[in-house]
Amino acid sequence: MTPEAIFQRLADSFGAEAVFELHADPAKDKDPWFKVAPAQIEKVCERLRDDPDFACDYLECVTGVDYPSEKKIAVIYHVNSYTLKHRVVLKCYVDREAPALPTVVNVWSTANWQERECFDLLGVLFEGHPDLRRLLLPDDWEGHPLRKDYAEKADYHGIPTTRPNPVELFQLKVPVRDGGLPPAAAAGSAPQTPGKDKEAKAS
Amino acid sequence: MSEVIFANEMDEEMTLNMGPHHPSTHGVLRFVVQSDGEIIRKVTPDVGFLHRSIEKIGERNTYPGFMPYTDRVDYVAAMFANESWATACEKLMGVTVPKRAQYLRVISCELNRISSHMIALGATAMDIGAVTPFPWTLREREYINDFVEELCGARLTYNYHRIGGVSFDMPKGWRDKVRRWLDNFDPIMQEFDRLITLNDIFVRRLANVAVITGAEAKDWGLVGPNLRASGVKWDLRKDDGYSVYPELEFDVPVGTGAFGTVGDCWDRFWVRVEECRQSARILRQALDKIDEHPEDDLVGKLPKKLRPDGEAYSRVESARGDMGCYVIGKGAEEPYRVRFRTGSFTSMGIISAKSPGLFLADLVALIATLDVVAPEIDR
């Protein structure tokens, strides 16, 4: 089935308020996609998996995109069918300030880790997820890096997150003890002695 | 390495910390294992030690400028991440790749697939306790590294593919060298079968261990050799038919449960052995057929400014299965969003579901035969 036909079938059975806005401009949308109301995503996915005409048994990818100008985060599902060899792309637009939508772990188990990653990097809450913890970043990390307005902290537990530009360092012919380092190095604690800093803080 | 914490002295249950520098974790991974003696009750994988936020880096680089970074997505098989990024950008910008460049992509990728499987096979055998096969497979990998070095100048992080094509043509005499090596490779694989694949001790060690059924594999999003070992015949090279793969003849090996159940550890090992043979077959044909296409036609016609608007998702069959690259452009020089979907990431998800009830030593076999590579999980 083409994505257009899948969209039509879903829109007919779920109604235009649940499945809407097919985007299939060949110049822009190389994989046609449509929007799904966030509250309906689990039911739509269940239908995609169980209906023999769709038979979508493989959730390829769950990811999110931040759109600060629209104050939305798009959660994107790429779904594939092994038997019928068709694909479909669903997008859920959730509010950027309180992003939350139902999980699809009960439909495809692979959503477990992919949703955890999306929560970790974009801060989307998946309601009903069995184990929604940070996955890639440390548990005490602040913020969600893939948001467009994310500002990196200067250090993490005393480890600087920036380094002096090595090109500028090589230009220094004679190392000078005071005032010799470029301002970037002077601002963050000097990279040569992070261990010492840590010890000093620990003691 | 590993340390043991007894949670309760009256109880046999203990918490084992496996990793992050355990030799069988193939990189920097950590598993917190709760076990009752030798029997595992629960495994909690802890990943992220190699996280570099490659997706954020992608948002800060231009489309061609991001190519060297993609090597680091999977350093054992960097060519596929190159190809994945290149095909995603080509799909987004509507670029056609010249046939010769496509053949060069197939040749480089299939060489890389063999070298990646060589690591997987050798390391699996070594994790189980057979040390000899590892140097054997590494020897073959070294030959391939030499070939790829002649082709693109690097042995590990290739940066060979370009948006619209590849960077260099084959050097003079290179093709005959590869052909000579291929002639030796088939007998070596037969010897490898006698040495380890069909070795009775090895077969008994892996058959019927950590069986993953086809339905489970689909549900957990396993891809590539892991999926095929569970009996699902799905290979993007055949089923999606990208690049010039439809012009080439090869078979897709599927797990048969020859010594146990379909989808056991031995099947996952055997599927990789067979894939090496099929890759050698593809290489022979591609090295012959590349002559039909003119030289010095290596990069397709690109738009003057690479500022696409829109989105595209590309899929390639990497050594660890379906590698997807999702890119969104908003008319700027840098992509708005980059996403890599990798095989190892989803393979990791199944470990905590499959491991309860396994022996502790079988967890090592499960991790090894799933062929997870740490940077591909963490990106």
Side-chain angles (χ1 to χ4, degrees):
Chain A
M1 272 173 113
T2 59
E4 288 82 359
I6 294 174
F7 169 74
Q8 211 51 54
R9 283 279 297 274
L10 286 174
D12 287 347
S13 58
F14 283 92
E17 62 280 350
V19 181
F20 52 100
E21 272 191 49
L22 175 72
H23 292 249
D25 177 5
K28 280 178 74 178
D29 309 302
K30 305 294 176 181
D31 305 287
W33 55 275
F34 51 84
K35 291 185 185 176
V36 175
Q40 297 287 326
I41 184 69
E42 193 174 1
K43 279 186 188 141
V44 171
C45 287
E46 234 164 41
R47 180 69 183 277
L48 279 174
R49 183 194 65 182
D50 293 337
D51 192 327
D53 289 345
F54 301 137
C56 291
D57 41 10
Y58 170 35
L59 176 64
E60 277 183 324
C61 178
V62 179
T63 189
V65 185
D66 185 18
Y67 293 104
S69 54
E70 297 161 37
K71 295 194 173 144
K72 293 278 181 197
I73 288 180
V75 181
I76 302 162
Y77 301 81
H78 291 260
V79 186
N80 180 51
S81 169
Y82 281 128
T83 42
L84 303 176
K85 296 189 186 180
H86 57 221
R87 301 181 68 236
V88 60
V89 185
L90 320 172
K91 288 194 185 184
C92 284
Y93 280 76
V94 291
D95 184 23
R96 192 164 180 273
E97 301 307 320
L101 75 167
T103 171
V104 295
V105 169
N106 302 324
V107 187
W108 297 289
S109 304
T110 177
N112 188 326
W113 272 46
Q114 304 204 32
E115 287 182 347
R116 269 178 76 184
E117 189 192 349
C118 188
F119 161 72
D120 190 1
L121 301 179
L122 280 138
V124 181
L125 285 172
F126 291 90
E127 287 158 357
H129 191 286
D131 185 23
L132 199 63
R133 290 179 291 121
R134 281 202 184 265
L135 182 67
L136 299 175
L137 298 175
D139 290 339
D140 57 351
W141 194 268
E142 285 172 33
H144 302 285
L146 283 185
R147 291 219 181 177
K148 294 289 173 188
D149 55 358
Y150 174 75
E152 209 172 3
K153 292 257 164 67
D155 69 324
Y156 172 73
H157 291 291
I159 307 163
T161 53
T162 50
R163 261 183 276 176
N165 187 347
V167 179
E168 286 170 24
L169 274 183
F170 286 131
Q171 282 167 353
L172 294 175
K173 293 274 158 55
V174 187
V176 188
R177 213 161 245 266
D178 292 317
L181 287 174
S189 55
Q192 294 90 337
T193 57
K196 276 187 187 171
D197 280 7
K198 223 178 170 183
E199 279 165 27
K201 275 198 182 161
S203 64
Chain B
M1 299 238 290
S2 309
E3 51 181 302
V4 184
I5 303 158
F6 285 93
N8 178 352
E9 283 188 19
M10 297 303 288
D11 191 7
E12 286 292 305
E13 183 168 320
M14 57 185 164
T15 305
L16 262 167
N17 185 23
M18 194 170 155
H21 295 293
H22 194 275
S24 79
T25 53
H26 298 203
V28 200
L29 287 178
R30 178 169 163 250
F31 297 89
V32 181
V33 184
Q34 277 161 303
S35 72
D36 179 2
E38 278 287 298
I39 313 280
I40 292 170
R41 282 191 184 162
K42 194 183 170 199
V43 169
T44 315
D46 178 15
V47 302
F49 292 92
L50 288 173
H51 179 60
R52 282 162 291 195
S53 206
I54 200 110
E55 296 168 4
K56 190 83 178 173
I57 295 173
E59 293 171 13
R60 291 175 178 174
N61 279 283
T62 57
Y63 288 90
F66 184 50
M67 186 63 82
Y69 289 98
T70 59
D71 290 329
R72 278 80 182 167
V73 170
D74 178 2
Y75 52 57
V76 184
M79 210 62 94
F80 297 101
N82 279 184
E83 194 189 20
S84 178
W85 174 243
T87 45
C89 291
E90 284 149 12
K91 191 172 171 187
L92 182 61
M93 299 170 192
V95 178
T96 24
V97 184
K99 275 280 168 110
R100 192 176 178 87
Q102 289 194 1
Y103 270 104
L104 282 168
R105 278 187 184 179
V106 167
I107 291 168
S108 59
C109 283
E110 294 306 323
L111 277 174
N112 202 190
R113 190 187 311 276
I114 296 178
S115 73
S116 167
H117 282 346
M118 286 289 120
I119 286 270
L121 298 174
T124 304
M126 195 163 71
D127 289 346
I128 304 299
V131 182
T132 318
F134 189 62
W136 281 44
T137 56
L138 267 202
R139 180 186 58 196
E140 298 311 306
R141 186 180 155 89
E142 277 304 302
Y143 283 121
I144 296 172
N145 281 351
D146 288 345
F147 295 145
V148 180
E149 190 181 10
E150 276 186 58
L151 192 62
C152 66
R155 294 169 69 84
L156 194 71
T157 50
Y158 308 120
N159 186 20
Y160 176 56
H161 296 187
R162 293 285 178 272
I163 297 172
V166 294
S167 51
F168 305 105
D169 204 344
M170 297 181 288
K172 261 188 189 163
W174 187 80
R175 195 165 15 170
D176 295 327
K177 274 191 214 167
V178 179
R179 281 201 185 115
R180 271 206 299 280
W181 172 78
L182 280 173
D183 291 341
N184 277 328
F185 183 67
D186 288 342
I188 282 173
M189 286 312 282
Q190 283 176 12
E191 224 174 322
F192 186 77
D193 277 355
R194 289 204 301 277
L195 175 72
I196 190 79
T197 318
L198 302 174
N199 180 314
D200 194 33
I201 304 168
F202 188 74
V203 168
R204 286 187 200 198
R205 176 72 180 80
L206 289 187
N208 287 324
V209 169
V211 179
I212 299 174
T213 63
E216 277 172 337
K218 285 180 189 173
D219 185 33
W220 280 96
L222 291 195
V223 286
N226 298 334
L227 178 74
R228 291 190 280 277
S230 297
V232 182
K233 195 164 187 172
W234 175 266
D235 188 323
L236 283 174
R237 293 174 292 176
K238 281 263 191 230
D239 292 292
D240 201 26
Y242 67 96
S243 193
V244 288
Y245 283 111
E247 297 172 16
L248 304 166
E249 267 180 42
F250 61 99
D251 299 326
V252 178
V254 176
T256 54
F259 290 99
T261 325
V262 177
D264 58 10
C265 282
W266 190 83
D267 269 355
R268 285 193 284 278
F269 188 88
W270 175 81
V271 162
R272 290 197 171 82
V273 174
E274 279 304 302
E275 273 188 18
C276 288
R277 292 208 175 93
Q278 298 302 329
S279 290
R281 238 176 107 188
I282 295 173
L283 273 172
R284 278 218 180 79
Q285 298 168 43
L287 287 171
D288 290 339
K289 283 194 174 181
I290 194 168
D291 269 344
E292 297 163 11
H293 307 287
E295 284 182 32
D296 67 341
D297 188 13
L298 292 180
V299 179
K301 205 165 184 297
L302 289 170
K304 260 193 180 159
K305 278 181 181 160
L306 298 182
R307 288 181 176 175
D309 184 17
E311 59 174 77
Y313 184 94
S314 81
R315 306 184 287 177
V316 297
E317 182 74 30
S318 92
R320 276 162 205 80
D322 181 349
M323 180 181 259
C325 181
Y326 181 47
V327 53
I328 300 178
K330 268 201 158 186
E333 281 189 359
E334 301 88 14
Y336 189 74
R337 178 81 166 84
V338 180
R339 157 88 181 160
F340 275 97
R341 178 252 185 269
T342 54
S344 298
F345 182 78
T346 43
S347 307
M348 280 299 287
I350 202 172
I351 288 179
S352 53
K354 284 315 295 184
S355 45
L358 289 183
F359 282 110
L360 201 53
D362 291 345
L363 176 64
V364 175
L366 175 62
I367 299 166
T369 53
L370 281 176
D371 189 20
V372 292
V373 169
E376 216 199 1
I377 303 165
D378 300 341
R379 282 159 287 133

